[in-house]
Amino acid sequence: MEREDPTGRADAKGWGVVLRVVLLGTAAGGGFPRWNCACARCAAARDGKLPTRTPECAAVTGNSRDWWLLNTSPDIRGQLNAASALWPGPQVTPVRGVLLTDAEPDHLAGLAVLRAAAGLKTYAAPPVLAALAPARAALDRDAPWEWADSLTEGGFVLAGGLVVTAHPVAGAAPTYVPGRAKDRGWVTAYRIEDLATGGVLVYAPRVSTWAPTLDDLVASADCAVLDGTHFTTDEAGRAGRHLPVSGPGGSLTALARHPQARRIYTHLADTNPLLDPGSPARSQVSGTGVEILPDGTEFVL
């Protein structure tokens, strides 16, 4: 696991009291290489010529004891086993709960893996909680969990000294929802602030359009981890679900307005040339100071 401490606040015993972030996974749904894809990029990853990636998911803590997951990928078991900071002690897990950004299957599937742990708390927007009703009932039969509205006024405080606010961003309901409801709140971005240090993380792995809300969030952040699914608008057939990186209206242009923040792309689709460190696309993005980091990267704010 790649570790960084640019703040210098880590103590001699480890990390100290800082906002720690682990990028457990950084690929879009299906991971990279995708199991049913034989494109040149996926083939290169199978041959070991490009780094492999698991589906997007992250973890945060403010005290190095209480960890919170940002989404739960289908590969959450392997991701947690690869992150030593999140290993359990004797019959105790440091994972306290989950913050869901939306109701996409690749962000929910890991909940089933976590089902044996009692007392976990999961935050999500009301439409997402409603869509999860059958799954919630099944999970609660294994071990009772607490389910909470992430859009509660004024935000909420997590164990470990983190203050969180959820902010609705444009995005449609997932395809499995009957009627494809368009309620406000299907997709959210999280602003996570460490009370002890003042460090701020913005986590928004799904962004379909760049709105003033995102400018405000990134302007207030020390680090923003954002949707990098597609590099161009014509890269995939599901146009409109993810804002592309490039182009006049792309996220890279918007991020240029916020050079004060550390900016990182996640949720990279197998069609995205940014997966190749030697690609012109990667050079273009890196030249602006925006980063593409490997799975397992851990850093502090």
Side-chain angles (χ1 to χ4, degrees), residues 100 108 111 115 122 124-149:
L100 296 173
L108 307 175
L111 293 175
R115 67 186 183 277
T122 298
V128 176
L129 291 174
L132 275 172
R136 289 166 56 188
L139 289 166
D140 285 343
R141 280 195 289 271
D142 276 296
W145 286 6
E146 186 176 352
W147 304 86
D149 179 0

Side-chain angles (χ1 to χ4, degrees), residues 173-182:
T175 55
Y176 65 83
V177 175
R180 302 298 305 282
K182 295 183 178 180

Side-chain angles (χ1 to χ4, degrees), residues 14-277:
W15 287 98
V17 180
V18 289
L19 174 55
R20 295 171 66 183
V21 184
V22 182
L23 302 179
L24 296 171
T26 55
F32 178 68
R34 187 156 49 89
W35 72 273
N36 61 342
C37 181
C39 72
R41 203 169 284 117
C42 285
R46 290 190 182 95
D47 289 340
K49 298 175 182 176
L50 290 178
T52 61
R53 296 174 183 266
T54 57
E56 171 265 315
C57 181
V60 295
T61 183
N63 63 3
S64 297
R65 295 187 304 275
D66 301 294
W67 286 87
W68 297 85
L69 301 178
L70 303 173
N71 293 328
T72 57
S73 85
D75 291 356
I76 191 65
R77 176 185 173 277
Q79 291 171 335
L80 291 175
N81 283 334
S84 59
L86 282 84
W87 290 354
Q91 300 185 6
V92 177
T93 173
V95 176
R96 301 290 175 253
V98 181
L99 282 64
L100 296 173
T101 61
D102 52 62
E104 292 297 327
D106 288 310
H107 290 163
L108 307 175
L111 293 175
V113 178
L114 305 177
R115 67 186 183 277
L120 295 188
K121 188 167 187 176
T122 298
Y123 291 88
V128 176
L129 291 174
L132 275 172
R136 289 166 56 188
L139 289 166
D140 285 343
R141 280 195 289 271
D142 276 296
W145 286 6
E146 186 176 352
W147 304 86
D149 179 0
S150 64
L151 295 178
T152 183
E153 186 176 354
F156 49 94
V157 179
L158 300 177
L162 302 178
V163 177
V164 182
T165 53
H167 303 263
V169 294
T175 55
Y176 65 83
V177 175
R180 302 298 305 282
K182 295 183 178 180
D183 294 351
R184 182 175 181 269
W186 274 110
V187 183
T188 55
Y190 285 106
R191 182 185 187 275
I192 303 169
E193 180 173 359
D194 185 349
L195 284 173
T197 67
V200 174
L201 171 73
V202 167
Y203 196 77
R206 184 177 166 200
V207 174
S208 60
T209 59
W210 194 277
T213 297
L214 283 168
D215 270 312
D216 294 341
L217 287 172
V218 178
S220 74
D222 295 292
C223 178
V225 180
L226 298 163
D227 187 346
T229 307
H230 303 309
F231 189 70
T232 62
T233 54
D234 58 354
E235 193 176 301
R238 302 176 76 181
R241 292 182 65 82
H242 297 275
L243 179 69
V245 168
S246 64
S251 60
L252 194 62
T253 298
L255 288 176
R257 297 193 289 269
H258 305 284
Q260 83 293 340
R262 184 175 189 180
R263 297 152 298 167
I264 300 167
Y265 279 130
T266 191
H267 201 270
L268 304 171
D270 60 298
T271 56
N272 194 329
L274 292 177
L275 291 166
D276 183 352

